Amino acid sequence: MKKKLVAALMAGCMAATMFAGCGSSAPKEEAKSEAKSEAAEEEKTEEAAETPAAEGSGKVGIAMPTQSLERWNRDGAYLDEQFKNAGYETILTYSDNKAEQQVNDIQNMIAEGVDVLIVAAIDGEALNTAMNEASEAGIPVISYDRLILNDAVSYYVSFDNYTVGTLQGQFVVDALDLENAGDAVYNIELTTGDPADNNAGYFFNGAYDVIKPYIEKGTLNVVSGQTDFASVATEQWSTDVALERAQNILGSYYADGTQLDVWLCSNDSTALGVAQAIESDYAGKNTVLITGQDGDEANLKNIVDGKQTMTVYKNVSNEAIVTLKLAQALLEGKECDASLIEEFGVECAYDTESYETSAGNKCPSFLLVPSVITKDNLQDLVDTGLYTMGSDGYLSAN
């Protein structure tokens, strides 16, 4: 009966964004939703008597992809902490980058009676079984950081992923002063992330759209010729996979002393592999500009040591706060639109056009704003309260 109450609250909340809701274009799902809402209305009085509403009451399922990457440990910890501090019971799982295991983890959460699901997908196209079961049970789903391509998703919370890429691309443009490069030519290589991660395409496209005019002009030269997404992708964002590919490229195209100026990496785990390859296998003597994303401790150390040039930082603590406030609004039947942003206390945009869970089916999204971190502004991370700087200048995540 608790799930019927949640279905009724979802109906009230989703009405405010019906024009953009992730399930709004599927007639079959609308019929299910209407049936659940009617059933919930019939038992509303009885249900309220049995389970009186209380702020912060309920059970939250949090499904993270893996503990092998530092950032997902941070996301899981922040989410778990935020919800527990707000009075919710939580179930937190990590699925070892195995999509089948994540399906099972989510199914177990459904069986344990969670009231809302927060899912950072391993594979955005592999969770249909679990998502459909959540929809049938009347459980709202917040797609966290990575978009799940299923219309059972209620909302998407992430950073502006295309902007993450554009920040990386623009950093390259500015650092090399490509606007005033004249006849100079700079050699560049590209590495992006997991093809199963919907975000990887946004990161790559954002960066490539910025640097493409300079590649076409000849100011930037991809010596390996590898510029399409499939060629530069990195399975599971693996440091070892990125390392091996970088070593192969350096051995094949730069062993004769050809200078490499830039390696544009979509995130820190791949940047770590590229930096290792450059340190061990690059014949040149120049410092190679390397981009990244996430603010992982090892990469921040590399930035201090001059082995990585920048990282795009995404404050996942703020992402957890937005997710908490959205989940509370969903469960309390509040309007879930731009009006919620005032409650977040962090910079965020409400977007109903950029993301789709299926063709033509727009997913309302809350998108936070990333920032660029270099050696010159590491103090900005310390100022968040999430990092501490040691006497050696290295940062540690709190």
Side-chain angles (χ1 to χ4, degrees):
M1 295 178 71
K2 178 168 64 176
K3 293 299 177 289
K4 294 178 181 178
L5 176 60
V6 172
L9 293 173
M10 271 290 293
C13 188
M14 290 301 290
T17 52
M18 185 168 59
F19 72 97
C22 288
S24 60
S25 64
K28 181 167 65 175
E29 293 302 322
E30 287 180 355
K32 289 180 181 179
S33 178
E34 289 170 4
K36 288 173 183 169
S37 295
E38 290 170 3
E41 284 298 321
E42 291 173 2
E43 298 189 22
K44 187 175 181 181
T45 302
E46 177 188 352
E47 188 67 26
E50 292 179 5
T51 55
E55 184 176 355
S57 64
K59 185 182 294 186
V60 179
I62 303 167
M64 295 286 105
T66 179
Q67 289 185 294
S68 64
L69 293 180
E70 178 185 323
R71 71 144 303 178
W72 294 119
N73 287 293
R74 293 204 306 264
D75 284 84
Y78 289 143
L79 285 166
D80 193 51
E81 179 183 36
Q82 290 286 346
F83 278 96
K84 283 180 176 176
N85 288 345
Y88 293 91
E89 180 183 351
T90 63
I91 302 174
L92 171 62
T93 62
Y94 294 88
S95 303
D96 196 27
N97 267 331
K98 298 174 183 176
E100 289 185 3
Q101 181 176 328
Q102 191 166 49
V103 169
N104 290 335
D105 288 342
I106 294 169
Q107 288 176 323
N108 289 337
M109 291 179 186
I110 294 171
E112 291 188 44
V114 296
D115 298 294
V116 63
L117 281 165
I118 296 155
V119 181
I122 294 168
D123 184 336
E125 298 181 340
L127 298 180
N128 286 332
T129 299
M131 292 298 97
N132 293 341
E133 290 179 11
S135 177
E136 291 170 1
I139 302 172
V141 177
I142 296 174
S143 188
Y144 181 87
D145 201 79
R146 297 173 171 179
L147 185 62
I148 302 168
L149 302 182
N150 183 286
D151 293 348
V153 172
S154 308
Y155 290 89
Y156 180 40
V157 175
S158 188
F159 283 78
D160 189 333
N161 298 312
Y162 183 82
T163 295
V164 169
T166 63
L167 288 174
Q168 294 168 337
Q170 192 60 48
F171 185 89
V172 171
V173 171
D174 294 341
L176 298 179
D177 194 18
L178 297 184
E179 282 293 307
N180 302 302
D183 295 331
V185 177
Y186 297 95
N187 292 330
I188 184 173
E189 297 296 337
L190 313 171
T191 293
T192 192
D194 192 344
D197 181 352
N198 186 64
N199 288 353
Y202 285 98
F203 300 146
F204 176 74
N205 290 334
Y208 195 76
D209 285 350
V210 173
I211 65 174
K212 183 179 179 181
Y214 300 97
I215 293 175
E216 292 176 341
K217 185 180 178 181
T219 306
L220 288 176
N221 176 38
V222 184
V223 179
S224 70
Q226 299 176 19
T227 59
D228 63 290
F229 180 87
S231 298
V232 304
T234 308
E235 185 179 358
Q236 295 186 355
W237 299 92
S238 167
T239 295
D240 290 339
V241 173
L243 168 62
E244 182 178 1
R245 176 172 171 266
Q247 288 175 323
N248 289 337
I249 288 176
L250 292 173
S252 299
Y253 301 99
Y254 295 90
D256 62 355
T258 298
Q259 179 167 308
L260 172 64
D261 299 291
V262 183
W263 204 306
L264 198 154
C265 301
S266 288
N267 87 323
D268 279 352
S269 60
T270 57
L272 200 62
V274 167
Q276 289 176 12
I278 288 172
E279 190 170 14
S280 62
D281 292 74
Y282 177 48
K285 302 300 181 183
N286 64 299
T287 299
V288 180
L289 188 158
I290 301 176
T291 69
Q293 174 196 176
D294 289 332
D296 288 351
E297 284 189 39
N299 299 79
L300 295 175
K301 182 177 186 298
N302 275 355
I303 288 175
V304 173
D305 292 341
K307 298 177 183 179
Q308 183 171 324
T309 318
M310 63 86 80
T311 188
V312 176
Y313 178 62
K314 303 187 301 186
N315 189 326
V316 295
S317 177
N318 287 345
E319 193 172 7
I321 290 170
V322 171
T323 304
L324 168 67
K325 296 295 186 181
L326 175 58
Q328 288 177 319
L330 276 168
L331 295 176
E332 294 169 10
K334 293 181 179 178
E335 290 189 4
C336 302
D337 56 20
S339 63
L340 273 182
I341 293 176
E342 291 184 5
E343 299 184 25
F344 297 159
V346 299
E347 190 175 359
C348 183
Y350 180 63
D351 185 325
T352 59
E353 295 297 326
S354 298
Y355 295 91
E356 297 181 343
T357 52
S358 64
N361 195 45
K362 306 293 185 181
C363 187
S365 307
F366 290 92
L367 305 177
L368 291 87
V369 180
S371 59
V372 171
I373 296 295
T374 68
K375 188 175 183 178
D376 294 331
N377 67 339
L378 288 171
Q379 183 62 37
D380 289 355
L381 296 183
V382 178
D383 292 344
T384 66
L386 303 176
Y387 292 84
T388 301
M389 183 180 292
S391 59
D392 54 6
Y394 297 142
L395 272 65
S396 301
N398 294 330

